[in-house]
Structures are given as structure tokens and as C-alpha cells.
């Protein structure tokens, strides 16, 4: 969780949430809050910015100017923040627990590991893994998001960490990596329900997630240490069993590790829980790596 001086959900209701990030209070859409009742109505007038959707886009209304150096910190990770045309600010605070879990998995691994982060956005998971000692490949279809993540790495003093920054379509990149013989020890992915790659490739969660997961499992070459799948939007975000089902179809994962799943949520000042999506974690059971597995991993890391 974020420290309260870095992030706090103040209230949520009627399809909106009121949160404080650093010293700024934001009023913005939250579909999961559609039927909630305001518990702290007096706080809503304190918003420094309010985002309203308008057709396919939207705009911010500002009550005061925002600092160009606005940021939020979680442990050693520093994330640059800004008001974007989509209503996002570069931070999904409900992911903080997943970042901590990633860091624990990396530190618990028997030696350095390679992590593939797909749909990596502004890099919270990338930085968590890199700060814990992993070599990371960061992939996002938006060049602006990759540039933003690189600035976050610099702010977090990880500009010299072993991170590959890739602007590409996630599924196409995973396919090419498989053909190139690249292998990874862990995969993190946070796919949207719908999106486009840098060359107008179409991504549809219900059509492409199964293939992408299968490809990611192949990319681990049977030596996966952990996998994390999260979803914020669409029907899968409200269907944790379905997310677990997608991963559980992979026989290697069923046999060699354990699953855990949870709804991602934020807790308001009054104790209300705002649903923010779902997460499925898989980690290898201790003792399931054979000596042959470790030899294969060493060969895979050398690229030979």
C-alpha cells in the first residue's frame, strides 16, 4: 500500500472517486462506484481538478495550477504524474501490493532473473522488479508511455539498471521473442480490454489473451519463477475465476507452482472498498526446479 501522504482514497460515489495524490485532490470517473453513496460529502468541494468525459474524450477543469514536478513515491519507486487527456495521471495505486509481491519474488529467486513486462505503461512493475535485482524487458505500444517510464526510472535512480525499453505490440513482440529463442524467468502483464499497437494492430482481450498467455508460458521454457496477470477493465476485471482459468490451462504452471487470486481494490477514509480490477498470481513451488532446469536457464540467459 502507498503511504497515506503519497496516496489516499478520500471518497467514492455516483460513478466517481475523490483521491489525494501528493498534495493534489482529484475528482474523476470510477465506474465501479456507480451505486455507492457519498460518506464524506464535505470533501468533494476540495478537489483541485475534476475530469469530465465528453464523448470519446474528456477534459480537466482546474481549481489551481499543478506543479510540473508532481510525483508519488512507493518505497524507492518514484512516479512522475500529470493530468492526461484520458483522465489518467500515470499511477494505478491499487497495483502497489503487486509491486511489493514482484519484488519479493525476485529477491527469493535462486540468482538473477529475467522479467518480461507487457502492457507496461509508466513502469511501476518494471521498476519494482529492477530495484529488486531483475533484468527487465519493458514493452508498451505507446512511445509516450515508454518515455514516461524511462523518466520514472531516472527519478528512481534506476537509469543504469538492466532494463530494455521496447515500443511494440505485446503479442507481436512475444511471438518474435519466441522465434528468436529468447527466454524469461517471469512474466507480468496488465492487458486492456481493447487497444491498438504502434502500427494499428488491434488488441481484443477476449480474442487474444489466451494466445498471449500460451506464448508467455512458452517464453519461460518451463523454468518460470512467477507470473502476474492483472486486469482493470471489461468483463474479466469482474471475473476473477475466469482470469484464473486462463492461466490454469497451462499444464506447466498447474504442475509446478501455486495460484492465488484477488480483487484489486482501494479502501477509502471511511472504510469503503472500491473495486479496481482483478489479479492472478502464480509462483513456483520451492524444490520444483531440477538441476537440468537450472542448466537450461543458464544457457537461455547467455543466449546460446
Amino acid at each position: 500500500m502507498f503511504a497515506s501522504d503519497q496516496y489516499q482514497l478520500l471518497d467514492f460515489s455516483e460513478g466517481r472517486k475523490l483521491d489525494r495524490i501528493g498534495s493534489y485532490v482529484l475528482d474523476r470517473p470510477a465506474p465501479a462506484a456507480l451505486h455507492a453513496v457519498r460518506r464524506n460529502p464535505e470533501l468533494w468541494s476540495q478537489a483541485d481538478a475534476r475530469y469530465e468525459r465528453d464523448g470519446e474524450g474528456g477534459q480537466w477543469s482546474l481549481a489551481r495550477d499543478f506543479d510540473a514536478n508532481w510525483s508519488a513515491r512507493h518505497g524507492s519507486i518514484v512516479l512522475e504524474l500529470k493530468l492526461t487527456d484520458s483522465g489518467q495521471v500515470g499511477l494505478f495505486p491499487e497495483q502497489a501490493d503487486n509491486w511489493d509481491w514482484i519484488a519479493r519474488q525476485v529477491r527469493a529467486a535462486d540468482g538473477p532473473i529475467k522479467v518480461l513486462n507487457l502492457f507496461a505503461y509508466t513502469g511501476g512493475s518494471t521498476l519494482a522488479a529492477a530495484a529488486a535485482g531483475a533484468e527487465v524487458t519493458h514493452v508498451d505500444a505507446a512511445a509516450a508511455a515508454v518515455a514516461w517510464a524511462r523518466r520514472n526510472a531516472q527519478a528512481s535512480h534506476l537509469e543504469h539498471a538492466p532494463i530494455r525499453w521496447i515500443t511494440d505490440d505485446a503479442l507481436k513482440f512475444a511471438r518474435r521473442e519466441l522465434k528468436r529463442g529468447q527466454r524469461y524467468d517471469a512474466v507480468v502483464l496488465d492487458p486492456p480490454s481493447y487497444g491498438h499497437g504502434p502500427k494499428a494492430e488491434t488488441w481484443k482481450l477476449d480474442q487474444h489473451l489466451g494466445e498471449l498467455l500460451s506464448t508467455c508460458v512458452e517464453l519461460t521454457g518451463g523454468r518460470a519463477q512467477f507470473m502476474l496477470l492483472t486486469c482493470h477493465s471489461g468483463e474479466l476485471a469482474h471475473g476473477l475465476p475466469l482470469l484464473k482459468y486462463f492461466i490454469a490451462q497451462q499444464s506447466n504452471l498447474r504442475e509446478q507452482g501455486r495460484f492465488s487470486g484477488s480483487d484489486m481494490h482501494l479502501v477509502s477514509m471511511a472504510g469503503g472498498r472500491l473495486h479496481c480490477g482483478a489479479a492472478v498470481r502464480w509462483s513456483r513451488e520451492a524444490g520444483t526446479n531440477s538441476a537440468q532446469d537450472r542448466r537450461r536457464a543458464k544457457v537461455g540467459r547467455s543466449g546460446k
Side-chain angles (χ1 to χ4, degrees):
M1 299 294 291
F2 274 83
S4 59
D5 65 335
Q6 297 296 304
Y7 178 85
Q8 193 169 27
L9 178 63
L10 303 179
D11 202 3
F12 58 92
S13 76
E14 301 172 0
R16 304 190 67 84
K17 64 181 175 181
L18 186 74
D19 48 8
R20 181 176 52 75
I21 309 178
S23 59
Y24 297 105
V25 176
L26 308 180
D27 176 354
R28 47 192 176 141
L34 184 60
H35 302 296
V37 177
R38 293 188 180 188
R39 301 190 183 193
N40 292 288
E42 70 283 357
L43 295 177
W44 290 78
S45 62
Q46 300 177 15
D48 298 303
R50 177 182 171 90
Y51 183 82
E52 291 283 5
R53 290 199 174 101
D54 180 12
E56 294 184 359
Q59 61 182 353
W60 291 94
S61 299
L62 305 184
R64 65 166 167 147
D65 293 334
F66 275 62
D67 188 344
N69 296 317
W70 181 32
S71 65
R73 176 184 293 275
H74 179 68
S76 64
I77 298 172
V78 178
L79 300 174
E80 169 192 304
L81 306 176
K82 60 185 177 182
L83 305 177
T84 70
D85 293 340
S86 67
Q88 299 298 339
V89 298
L91 169 68
F92 288 95
E94 63 273 12
Q95 289 280 13
D97 285 345
N98 289 323
W99 298 341
D100 294 341
W101 181 81
I102 289 170
R104 290 195 298 271
Q105 299 306 308
V106 171
R107 294 189 183 106
D110 185 14
I113 67 172
K114 295 174 63 176
V115 176
L116 175 61
N117 185 14
L118 300 173
F119 308 99
Y121 193 43
T122 56
S125 294
T126 292
L127 301 181
E135 177 183 337
V136 187
T137 297
H138 173 109
V139 183
D140 197 277
V146 175
W148 193 342
R150 295 189 74 155
R151 294 195 299 272
N152 288 338
Q154 185 172 12
S156 304
H157 304 292
L158 290 168
E159 63 268 34
H160 301 302
I163 303 172
R164 280 200 301 161
W165 304 101
I166 307 293
T167 301
D168 205 345
D169 175 78
L171 182 54
K172 283 190 173 182
F173 178 80
R175 289 169 178 162
R176 286 197 300 272
E177 288 287 89
L178 193 59
K179 289 181 179 179
R180 288 190 284 252
Q182 291 286 351
R183 294 295 180 266
Y184 294 88
D185 303 289
V187 180
V188 176
L189 59 164
D190 180 36
S193 56
Y194 181 81
H196 289 96
K199 296 182 179 179
E201 301 94 338
T202 298
W203 164 267
K204 293 184 179 180
L205 188 69
D206 57 349
Q207 293 183 18
H208 299 125
L209 180 60
E211 180 188 352
L212 180 57
L213 282 174
S214 296
T215 303
C216 288
V217 171
E218 287 189 73
L219 279 170
T220 67
R223 70 179 200 224
Q225 296 299 308
F226 68 89
M227 295 187 72
L228 171 65
L229 171 63
T230 60
C231 185
H232 285 85
S233 60
E235 63 280 3
L236 288 186
H238 297 274
L240 182 59
L242 191 52
L243 282 176
K244 294 177 72 173
Y245 171 80
F246 270 115
I247 288 188
Q249 296 310 296
Q250 312 303 323
S251 60
N252 287 341
L253 302 187
R254 287 200 312 271
E255 296 166 0
Q256 298 176 354
R258 63 172 180 264
F259 293 97
S260 64
S262 64
D263 288 323
M264 295 190 295
H265 64 273
L266 296 171
V267 179
S268 72
M269 290 176 58
R273 290 165 61 102
L274 176 64
H275 174 82
C276 301
V280 176
R281 300 169 177 175
W282 177 91
S283 57
R284 179 178 289 274
E285 294 281 8
T288 57
N289 262 343
S290 66
Q292 185 178 13
D293 289 332
R294 290 191 288 273
R295 285 195 296 272
R296 288 197 191 113
K298 187 177 293 186
V299 170
R301 290 191 190 100
S302 68
K304 297 179 182 178

